[in-house]
Amino acid sequence: MATTASTSEVKNAISQYLTSKNVPPTQAWLRDFLPSIRLNTPIVALQKTALFRILCTDLRSSVSQASSAVLPSDISAPEVKERRLDGAITVQVLDFEDIGHSRWSQVENLEAVERGEMTKGREIIRVADEETNTDPNHTATAEASSGPHKLLLQDAKGTKVYAFEMEAVSGVGVQQLAIGAKLVLRDVLVARGVVMLQARSVEVLGGKVEAWDKKWRGERKEMLKRKAGMREDGGQEG
Amino acid sequence: MVTKVLCVAEKPSIAKAVANHLSGNQVTTRNVTGNVYTKNYEFHYNFATWGNCDVVMTSVAGHLLSHDFASQYRSWRSCDPSALFEATIDTFVEDGKKAISKNIEVQARYAQILYIWTDCDREGENIGSEIRDVATKINQRLRDPGKTVRARFSNIERAHIIDAARNPVPLDDAQANAVASRIELDLRIGASFTRNLTLSIQHMLQGEEKRVVSYGSCQFPTLGFVVERYFRVRNFLPEPFWTIKVMHEKEGIKVNFRWARNHLFDRMVVVILFERCLQAKTAKVTKVSTKPTSKWKPLPLTTVELQKCGSRFLRMDSHRVMQLAEQLYQRGWISYPRTETDQFDRGMDLRALVQKQIQGGPWRQFAQGLLDGGFSAPRNGRNNDKAHPPIHPVNFVDPSVLTHEEQRVHEFVVRRFLACCSQDARGSKTDISILYGMETFSTSGLVVLERNYLDVYPYDKWTSSQDLPNFREGEVFEPAEARIHDGKTSPPGYLTEPELISLMDVNGIGTDATMAEHIAKIKERAYVETRPRGRQPRRDDEDVSEEEQPFKPEVARGRGRGRTAGRGRGGRGGGNARGGGNSGVQEFIPTTLGVALIEGYENMGFEISLAKPFLRKEMELKMKAICEGRKTGREVVQETIDQYRAVYARTQQRLDVLRASVQRYVVAGNG
């Protein structure tokens, strides 16, 4: 028995909901969003739709830059040994990389996928496990997991910072995470200008910016190859 | 009337051995006209099924029948190669086998029973059916039910043979048909593709290479693995990585702790993590656990394992190992060397086999020890082909009757068997973990308490590590040394034979019987060369380069292996007698021609490339289906021909790609 809510009621309900999810919308975004919905849809559904949509946008234009919800502008300063960021800060993922495995092995894996070798019935097994003839209680360590990852994050104001996955954060990985995905950092530790991600200090909201993600995935193999052929010191530009 | 039985074995040596066993060495030997090696052994025997019999035991020399296209198709330019998919195939006895065939006919004429004693595998079943065909042409009655039977045996030991003689079984036509299908497919596909390939590129090759460029549905994927690894090595880019090493000295012992993250490919991150460790100043012991551990004794020996171990430990190539194993089998020293089975049947009297080994040899004391209480039931693997047991020694043999090479293979088989019947090696492992800053490091120590099987099986190594000092959980200390260490990834090596065998096995191409042959084939065709692997410096943890393990794709490791025994059963001492005794493991390098072929076919861009194992794997699976009665030979031949005909057509369309590849790698590479 839904009653048609007024535009401003809907606007407030959506705004409150998104704020509670740490993605407080800008007025501009709300203005663009409202015409696309039908006001007589149940409010819960509208809120969900709004969340889904905003997670697919560029934070810089869609989310309000309340000062408490952004990174300090000097966040990447390497002179600062350590600091903590209080409160919840929402960021989007601009880039990320598996730094636990050589880039070359990642390239080979991509090429195997391209050749269709990951599809059922077409697998080519290239590493024949030598029989582990030790204690059966000894768990085999061979898994195809990736990570840990290093990420490049950006807040609603446009400030960028690097982050390192100190412990595995569920939802971070090439298959699961997209470029443009949103994370909420809570009381997070920053060492020498790099955010140290732990499971308890990160919430992966998800989402993606289609255009960025597509470009990233398309260029990924070439990027990995280039990085593999990098100069000796292996330094990463900040 | 005394029943006349004609027994036919696959090789003269088997015929002689069986004849002697059954007759109690009371045998009259007669020559066979036109063939020096084959003999007819005449004796009397009381077969349980038929009573007192007059027996003639003879042999063939591998396949009796040959297959080739009808004469109008034999010349290479007589027809378009694709016509061979449908062309008539003639079955005939080639000149070299005519005397043997005639002998069978003569002996079969008056026989009431035909008793087949070919080796018990698919190929043997097929040869058995050929013998039956030749014999029944002369003597129709041998086609009556129960008049043609076969013996099931896995070694040439006397009691075993006598037991087998008592329990004949019918010939397995399903297996015989599987082989017949395989023969037809290999002929049609091999010939059509080989002709096409050769005619297309021969003019581009020079000198030695200007010969037949052959295609084989198994050779190519095998070659494919070699080429693929070659390119992986060549294209490899070494990457720097960084790790943190922690060392602490306690009770006069230096302990190295290994980083839980192993290493990372980003220096900045490692430096930050390292700083946090230093900042923490002290490390805390989070776990100290001492647990019993064991090193398992090996699994019972299969053909694939024998080949891999032969390569790795005996430095003999797989082909040579199999030749020697075959000789040992024929002379009654070991069981049938072509088997997939890695579990011993529960009913087998293994102690009796161990007993035989106390008579001599460097292992006699160990064998005695097993009988005196050290005996332990062998482990069970996951495979049982239901045809033959794992390879094991059947008798005691004085080493002086063996050649030097035979001794080495024999010794391996004996030691492996005794190891199987031993206890696992036992030890105690201590694992210690520490938390330093927010990073975890660990170390472990091993004390070997009981060597057990290791004493007879020197091919496995397990030694105690240095002693660890005592640590307590909760203990806090300041590490003596902590530093960042860098290294570089290094390329994988070129493919070695054990690796190639593993790849073929795991990807389902070739069977235990044929893998060695396919490898020998690509060497013979000069698609690959072998060379000893360059000595690589022993790398320990401290050192600079660590090889990165490649990603392991997440796939199911099904170990279903097809069982087509595709070997040519020529006489003994066949083709490639490669000397053993190579020091250093051999690695495979493709020749320019090998690379050109694989790259050429790969670049044609088919969904299923001839250089990949899929097609062959499917064929092997279909062979299995015929054996198990799920498909008929005709069906499989038709399906497979259709598949390859499509591939052929596509290949024709893209021949330019192949030529470009030959141009690039062979022509441009020369001079």
Side-chain angles (χ1 to χ4, degrees):
Chain A
M1 220 197 26
T3 53
T4 306
S6 73
T7 309
S8 71
E9 277 172 3
V10 168
K11 204 164 141 197
N12 285 333
I14 290 176
S15 186
Q16 273 170 29
Y17 179 71
L18 292 180
T19 305
S20 77
K21 292 287 180 191
N22 294 104
V23 279
T26 55
Q27 289 302 314
W29 186 84
L30 280 173
R31 257 202 316 277
D32 288 336
F33 177 68
L34 285 171
S36 69
I37 56 169
R38 286 181 19 184
L39 291 175
N40 60 2
T41 318
I43 194 67
V44 174
L46 288 178
Q47 287 170 332
K48 290 253 157 47
T49 305
L51 179 63
F52 177 78
R53 291 265 188 88
I54 205 169
L55 288 179
C56 294
T57 59
D58 184 342
L59 273 187
R60 292 174 294 177
S61 53
S62 61
V63 165
S64 128
Q65 299 165 14
S67 58
S68 59
V70 295
L71 299 165
S73 53
D74 64 343
I75 183 75
S76 294
E79 310 84 52
V80 181
K81 200 172 185 185
E82 177 177 316
R83 69 201 281 182
R84 254 198 204 276
L85 299 179
D86 293 320
I89 301 173
T90 308
V91 291
Q92 59 194 1
V93 177
L94 295 184
D95 191 6
F96 66 99
E97 195 187 352
D98 178 343
I99 60 170
H101 296 87
S102 72
R103 287 162 197 113
W104 192 243
S105 65
Q106 295 179 54
V107 169
E108 288 187 322
N109 206 27
L110 279 178
E111 290 183 333
V113 173
E114 281 170 18
R115 284 192 298 257
E117 284 164 24
M118 297 305 185
T119 58
K120 195 94 184 72
R122 305 271 294 281
E123 301 95 357
I124 293 187
I125 301 164
R126 281 200 179 71
V127 184
D129 268 331
E130 285 315 305
E131 179 193 49
T132 40
N133 56 344
T134 45
D135 201 302
N137 294 321
H138 191 87
T139 46
T141 46
E143 1 80 271
S145 65
S146 66
H149 298 91
K150 180 171 141 185
L151 303 88
L152 181 61
L153 307 174
Q154 182 182 52
D155 68 7
K157 219 165 165 180
T159 313
K160 298 186 201 173
V161 72
Y162 277 108
F164 172 65
E165 208 188 345
M166 284 273 289
E167 56 187 44
V169 175
S170 136
V172 174
V174 177
Q175 312 297 349
Q176 313 101 301
L177 195 66
I179 300 303
K182 315 293 184 276
L183 315 176
V184 180
L185 309 175
R186 288 193 171 83
D187 301 323
V188 89
L189 172 71
V190 183
R192 297 280 179 199
V194 176
V195 173
M196 295 286 147
L197 297 175
Q198 291 174 282
R200 61 180 147 84
S201 57
V202 177
E203 185 191 344
V204 179
L205 294 178
K208 129 166 90 162
V209 176
E210 183 65 46
W212 298 352
D213 189 73
K214 195 155 168 208
K215 181 163 184 281
W216 183 85
R217 277 177 212 275
E219 292 174 354
R220 187 155 168 260
K221 192 168 96 167
E222 282 317 303
M223 187 276 295
L224 285 170
K225 275 186 169 167
R226 242 189 359 256
K227 282 200 173 166
M230 255 164 77
R231 63 195 191 282
E232 292 289 12
D233 69 35
Q236 299 270 334
E237 287 92 2
Chain B
M1 192 187 80
V2 177
T3 310
K4 287 196 172 29
V5 178
L6 172 61
C7 295
V8 187
E10 200 172 312
K11 301 155 219 167
S13 60
I14 307 274
K16 183 173 179 190
V18 173
N20 276 316
H21 286 326
L22 295 183
S23 67
N25 295 323
Q26 311 267 23
V27 153
T28 310
T29 310
R30 300 217 186 275
N31 288 330
V32 169
T33 335
N35 189 295
V36 175
Y37 300 110
T38 313
K39 304 277 178 238
N40 292 334
Y41 300 99
E42 297 175 2
F43 56 95
H44 303 292
Y45 190 69
N46 187 314
F47 286 99
T49 339
W50 311 294
N52 282 323
C53 299
D54 283 342
V55 187
V56 174
M57 177 120 201
T58 185
S59 57
V60 295
H63 280 282
L64 254 187
L65 303 177
S66 306
H67 310 266
D68 203 350
F69 295 105
S71 53
Q72 68 265 38
Y73 299 106
R74 288 206 196 159
S75 150
W76 277 37
R77 301 198 185 260
S78 61
C79 62
D80 185 275
S82 62
L84 298 178
F85 289 128
E86 304 286 331
T88 332
I89 293 179
D90 285 344
T91 303
F92 56 93
V93 179
E94 63 171 35
D95 292 340
K97 306 269 168 105
K98 283 206 157 79
I100 295 175
S101 179
K102 185 97 189 107
N103 184 42
I104 304 279
E105 290 177 8
V106 165
Q107 300 301 326
R109 187 179 291 279
Y110 300 110
Q112 274 94 48
I113 302 285
L114 175 62
Y115 203 161
I116 305 285
W117 282 78
T118 52
D119 287 344
C120 297
D121 59 13
R122 274 189 219 162
E123 211 71 13
E125 224 62 19
N126 182 274
I127 296 175
S129 72
E130 289 178 345
I131 296 169
R132 180 184 57 193
D133 288 347
V134 167
T136 53
K137 232 179 27 207
I138 299 299
N139 184 342
Q140 304 285 5
R141 280 165 315 171
L142 292 174
R143 280 222 176 264
D144 293 345
K147 299 299 177 201
T148 295
V149 292
R150 79 106 80 235
R152 304 229 82 236
F153 62 101
S154 298
N155 64 65
I156 321 295
E157 194 265 322
R158 190 172 171 278
H160 185 80
I161 290 297
I162 291 176
D163 194 59
R166 263 198 264 280
N167 300 295
V169 297
L171 262 178
D172 186 344
D173 281 308
Q175 289 199 52
N177 285 338
V179 173
S181 303
R182 200 257 322 142
I183 290 176
E184 182 178 347
L185 284 171
D186 282 348
L187 182 58
R188 290 194 192 279
I189 295 168
S192 55
F193 276 81
T194 295
R195 286 190 194 182
N196 189 31
L197 177 57
T198 307
L199 293 174
S200 303
I201 65 168
Q202 199 173 40
H203 62 278
M204 299 174 76
L205 306 175
Q206 282 176 11
E208 259 189 45
E209 292 168 324
K210 204 182 183 64
R211 47 170 165 49
V212 172
V213 185
S214 75
Y215 168 83
S217 66
C218 220
Q219 285 169 48
F220 260 47
T222 306
L223 177 60
F225 283 127
V226 175
V227 171
E228 192 180 77
R229 174 68 71 93
Y230 173 77
F231 277 118
R232 265 190 75 205
V233 174
R234 300 297 290 221
N235 294 337
F236 186 85
L237 292 167
E239 288 170 62
F241 55 76
W242 293 266
T243 185
I244 299 176
K245 290 199 188 285
V246 174
M247 193 278 285
H248 189 61
E249 188 161 351
K250 190 177 187 191
E251 297 169 17
I253 303 168
K254 293 194 173 166
V255 186
N256 290 309
F257 289 89
R258 205 194 151 96
W259 197 17
R261 297 193 195 274
N262 193 13
H263 53 230
L264 293 180
F265 290 84
D266 186 299
R267 186 167 171 272
M268 173 180 75
V269 169
V270 174
V271 169
I272 291 176
L273 295 174
F274 180 63
E275 185 182 47
R276 302 194 65 75
C277 293
L278 293 182
Q279 186 180 311
K281 278 188 108 64
T282 57
K284 178 162 156 197
V285 178
T286 52
K287 177 179 99 161
V288 177
S289 85
T290 299
K291 279 202 290 254
T293 186
S294 49
K295 187 160 170 73
W296 289 353
K297 59 196 181 182
L299 281 172
L301 189 61
T302 60
T303 306
V304 172
E305 255 310 285
L306 174 62
Q307 290 173 353
K308 291 201 299 200
C309 292
S311 249
R312 214 182 289 139
F313 304 130
L314 305 179
R315 304 284 194 236
M316 290 182 188
D317 70 49
S318 53
H319 196 82
R320 187 73 188 124
V321 170
M322 289 319 292
Q323 276 180 330
L324 293 164
E326 175 76 23
Q327 281 164 226
L328 291 170
Y329 156 71
Q330 284 186 39
R331 291 162 66 188
W333 306 128
I334 67 173
S335 68
Y336 196 59
R338 292 191 164 79
T339 177
E340 285 182 1
T341 309
D342 53 11
Q343 34 178 259
F344 279 107
D345 190 73
R346 235 172 290 238
M348 243 177 112
D349 187 353
L350 298 172
R351 280 179 213 261
L353 291 170
V354 174
Q355 177 95 30
K356 300 210 177 176
Q357 300 304 327
I358 64 174
Q359 295 172 56
W363 47 74
R364 70 179 176 284
Q365 273 178 338
F366 190 91
Q368 185 65 55
L370 290 183
L371 295 174
D372 291 340
F375 184 93
S376 170
R379 290 168 60 199
N380 282 335
R382 279 173 284 173
N383 303 295
N384 192 333
D385 63 22
K386 303 271 194 276
H388 295 286
I391 305 170
H392 61 274
V394 163
N395 260 319
F396 171 74
V397 51
D398 182 345
S400 59
V401 315
L402 301 175
T403 68
H404 176 66
E405 279 190 306
E406 283 175 336
Q407 276 177 41
R408 297 181 64 213
V409 175
H410 175 258
E411 173 174 7
F412 176 75
V413 173
V414 174
R415 285 186 183 277
R416 177 86 177 212
F417 174 69
L418 293 176
C420 282
C421 298
S422 311
Q423 311 244 12
D424 295 336
R426 290 197 223 290
S428 171
K429 187 156 183 268
T430 302
D431 288 299
I432 301 175
S433 293
I434 62 173
L435 191 62
Y436 187 28
M438 291 178 76
E439 296 302 302
T440 302
F441 299 81
S442 55
T443 188
S444 68
L446 172 69
V447 179
V448 177
L449 299 167
E450 294 168 25
R451 284 179 51 83
N452 292 336
Y453 88 90
L454 290 170
D455 281 334
V456 77
Y457 197 69
Y459 316 99
D460 274 356
K461 306 264 179 276
W462 209 42
T463 45
S464 297
S465 68
Q466 95 177 147
D467 278 340
L468 282 184
N470 288 300
F471 283 96
R472 260 178 13 254
E473 251 176 62
E475 181 179 332
V476 169
F477 63 90
E478 194 172 323
E481 204 178 286
R483 57 194 172 92
I484 294 182
H485 194 93
D486 62 23
K488 256 204 206 2
T489 53
S490 52
Y494 295 111
L495 216 53
T496 61
E497 194 173 34
E499 288 178 299
L500 182 53
I501 293 171
S502 273
L503 285 175
M504 292 170 77
D505 182 39
V506 152
N507 284 288
I509 52 174
T511 66
D512 50 11
T514 63
M515 276 187 251
E517 281 168 34
H518 298 303
I519 295 178
K521 206 43 167 246
I522 58 174
K523 286 190 211 170
E524 185 193 310
R525 297 277 179 215
Y527 291 158
V528 301
E529 280 166 0
T530 56
R531 69 169 194 211
R533 177 171 268 186
R535 293 250 133 256
Q536 280 173 349
R538 274 288 291 144
R539 304 219 153 94
D540 62 1
D541 245 10
E542 288 291 329
D543 213 315
V544 168
S545 291
E546 292 171 26
E547 185 176 327
E548 260 262 307
Q549 281 303 106
F551 266 133
K552 298 184 189 188
E554 286 162 327
V555 294
R557 302 284 167 87
R559 281 190 68 98
R561 286 136 70 192
R563 281 211 76 227
T564 309
R567 68 179 180 282
R569 301 268 268 253
R572 307 177 246 146
N576 302 315
R578 279 205 120 86
N582 294 317
S583 56
V585 186
Q586 295 285 315
E587 50 184 23
F588 288 92
I589 315 281
T591 59
T592 48
L593 181 57
V595 171
L597 292 175
I598 294 299
E599 286 295 287
Y601 279 106
E602 282 279 281
N603 291 340
M604 289 187 199
F606 301 144
E607 233 206 8
I608 295 184
S609 156
L610 287 175
K612 286 285 178 318
F614 315 113
L615 284 172
R616 182 66 194 194
K617 185 179 181 178
E618 271 189 52
M619 201 197 292
E620 303 278 5
L621 292 175
K622 285 182 181 167
M623 289 299 132
K624 197 154 184 246
I626 300 175
C627 288
E628 293 171 2
R630 288 181 279 121
K631 277 180 129 71
T632 67
R634 271 267 58 79
E635 275 175 347
V636 167
V637 170
Q638 200 49 59
E639 284 170 19
T640 312
I641 294 284
D642 286 342
Q643 245 183 344
Y644 275 88
R645 200 192 274 114
V647 176
Y648 183 97
R650 289 200 300 262
T651 311
Q652 279 302 92
Q653 287 166 6
R654 315 270 347 249
L655 268 181
D656 57 316
V657 174
L658 180 60
R659 289 201 186 102
S661 185
V662 175
Q663 179 67 34
R664 178 173 169 198
Y665 290 107
V666 181
V667 180
N670 287 336

